[in-house]
Each structure stands twice: as structure tokens, then as C-alpha cells.
Amino acid sequence: MNFKELVKSNRSYRRYDEEYNLKREDLEYFIDLARMTASAANRQPLKYYLANDKETNEKVFETLSWAGYIEDWDEPKKGERPSGYIVILGDKTISKNYFCDPGITAQTILLGARDKELGGCIFAAINKKKLRENLNLPNKFEILYVISLGKPVEKVVLEDMNNNDIKYWRDEKQIHHVPKRGLKEIIIN
Amino acid sequence: MNFKELVKSNRSYRRYDEEYNLKREDLEYFIDLARMTASAANRQPLKYYLANDKETNEKVFETLSWAGYIEDWDEPKKGERPSGYIVILGDKTISKNYFCDPGITAQTILLGARDKELGGCIFAAINKKKLRENLNLPNKFEILYVISLGKPVEKVVLEDMNNNDIKYWRDEKQIHHVPKRGLKEIIIN
């Protein structure tokens, strides 16, 4: 798979084969990729909490809001949930402004996962108070994003956006369609 | 080059072969990669201004602050400047919160550039007022980041961080050294 194919195949996957065993060493490999990325003024304020056992996964899962635009589907059912999570934290003792570091590391983790035939999704809609309690996260860490990870069992396709309609949708075969703006719309000169 | 090698070789390059001809179609290819990435609630509020001619490059160049930690070097000299730039803009008429979208697209663009044996650097330290004037950017666009791009002519190496010293440095051979935190420091559990 060339790089463009990798980027294109790296969709936001929300249904997984929950039986897939995501190993701690796989998660550490992804963090090692994140560790090597650029960081604003090289401060490297991001820290990571890893989850890959059933009990901890459940503690993360219950704090996430899934796929806001799909009205008849609240969350993946049992058996289709992620095999693990990476919680991206900002260490406030290092910096209180993370610039674009979280996106850099999240995308690197997800491309790395896709390269291993896994997939994931970035969550910003998190019950952060509950997640902090559930994982016993010290206050010096700001909860920024959660990445779910697993073996995807859904098909996600990109399509051209019409009428400025940004809502992704699922068809009757449960294929997930994501409208994207065209190049001419996003390049302004 | 496998994905891990790609990530590792994707350093913040600040000196380039300025004679290298970065084509408009190369820049559009990178934006096409960025276009296909995940976006918070799929809003896709990011827009892009592309520069690859000498006159426009100079208009961007003069607004950037280079390598804060290297005290005896202010900026790349003539002949070592970037062959082009991508200005990442937030379209405030679409959203005023860009979440981690800018980092996602910036990293995707830079990995795509590296995959083509090019390289770049992300700038947050920008004279935004001057850049807006120089490029005549409408006020509906918030200037977020600038990515410089070109054919790198410098060597950048990663090394383990000691004593919490985040400052990158150059040795007598002008090799650029970047200290990175270890895995055990950034994984908190």
C-alpha cells in the first residue's frame, strides 16, 4: 500500500472485531511512533494512557460519544467494540498550550495502526470528568482526546460533498459514507 | 521505506536546496492527502493557501521565526530557503474550533512530502498581521500554521533526552540534534 492509499484507507472506524487481541506492545509501538514526531518548540507535553484489557476498556468506552450524525445507532454493540484505547493527555506542568501536537500524534498513531491493518477513531466528545475518575488520572494531566483501536469490521467510503452537507451516513448495507469537500473548495488561491 | 522509517525520517527541516522546483501539482497532491483525513464532526473547516513562486515565497518567508533555540542562526540564508509553503487557514464561517484537525493535516502533508523525498517544517511563530497583508487573506480565514516545503540539505537526528533539556542544537558539522523523551516517560501507566 503506498502512502496515498494508506491515508485514504485510514478512516474513522467505529465497529470492530472485539475478539481481536490488541497487545500492549502494539500500543507501545504506536506511542513510539508518536514519540518521534515534531512538537511545538520541542516541548513534548503529551503523555499517554494505554488500555487493552476488558475491564479498563469498559471504563473508557462508557465515557465516549459515538457518531453524532447516525441517529439510529448510539454505539457499537458488544462484540463490535474496540480492543483498546489510547488516551492523549496534556501534561500541564510542561505546557498549557499544545499547539497542533495532539493532531500530529493522533494521525501518526492511526496511520501506524492502519499500516498494521488495524483502525481507529479519534474522540473529542468525552465525559472527561468520568474518564478522569474511572482511570484515576491526576489533575496535572488535561484529557485531550481518546483514540479507539481495533480490527475494523465496517466499510467506510469517501464521497464528494454535495450542498455543503457534512453529515456522514450509513446505507442499508451498513456501509459508512463520508462526504469530503473538493480540492477547489479548500485551496483558496 | 516502511512506515516507522517514514515517521522517523520526517524531521523539521529548516535548510533546503532553494533551486529545487516545487510544482503547484505537488502542493495540490499534498492537499489532496490532507483533504482525505478525519475532521472533527466532519466539518472540514481548514482551507489552504499555496505558494511556490519566488515572489510569493518571499512574502511568506519574511513573516516566519526560525529555530528559536539556535542562537547563532536566525534563518536560512539565500539558496537554502524553502521552495514553497502551505498556509493552513481556519474558515471561521464553518467553525471556530478546529480541534486537532490542523495537526492531522499538517502531519499528513509532511509525511506525504517525506514520502516524495521532500521535507518541511511547521511554523506557529508567524507574524500573522504581516502575512495577512502580504497575501491579502480575507478576515474570514484565521491563520493557523505555515508549513515550509523543499528539498532538505541538512541532517537531523533524534537522540534521547537528558535532564529534561528540550533544546535542539547543532554540532560543528551542522547536524541538527533533537532530544526526545523516552517511552517510559510519556506512557503513564
Side-chain angles (χ1 to χ4, degrees), chain A residues 154-168:
Chain A
E154 67 179 354
K155 190 173 177 185
V156 181
V157 295
L158 296 181
E159 57 189 29
D160 295 338
M161 187 183 297
N162 288 317
N163 302 318
N164 219 23
D165 186 353
I166 57 174
K167 293 191 184 76
Y168 45 78

Side-chain angles (χ1 to χ4, degrees), chain B residues 43-109:
Chain B
R43 286 188 204 100
Q44 308 164 64
L46 302 185
K47 304 284 173 81
Y48 305 90
Y49 183 101
L50 310 181
N52 68 327
D53 65 87
K54 287 198 172 195
E55 192 187 348
T56 317
N57 284 350
E58 177 55 32
K59 287 179 180 173
V60 180
F61 178 80
E62 66 168 354
T63 70
L64 303 177
S65 294
W66 291 78
Y69 298 136
I70 312 285
E71 293 184 359
D72 60 351
W73 185 84
D74 286 335
E75 59 186 33
K77 64 187 180 191
K78 284 189 180 175
E80 292 191 348
R81 294 180 181 172
S83 297
Y85 299 91
I86 293 171
V87 184
I88 303 181
L89 303 161
D91 186 334
K92 292 186 282 187
T93 67
I94 297 175
S95 181
K96 290 186 175 74
N97 184 342
Y98 311 106
F99 292 92
C100 64
D101 288 19
I104 291 173
T105 67
Q107 178 71 344
T108 305
I109 288 165

Side-chain angles (χ1 to χ4, degrees), chain A residues 16-32:
Chain A
Y16 309 88
D17 171 9
E18 195 171 343
E19 291 305 303
Y20 180 81
N21 176 27
L22 185 67
K23 297 191 191 73
R24 169 88 186 185
E25 68 196 59
D26 298 327
L27 291 172
E28 290 183 357
Y29 167 77
F30 301 140
I31 302 302
D32 195 37

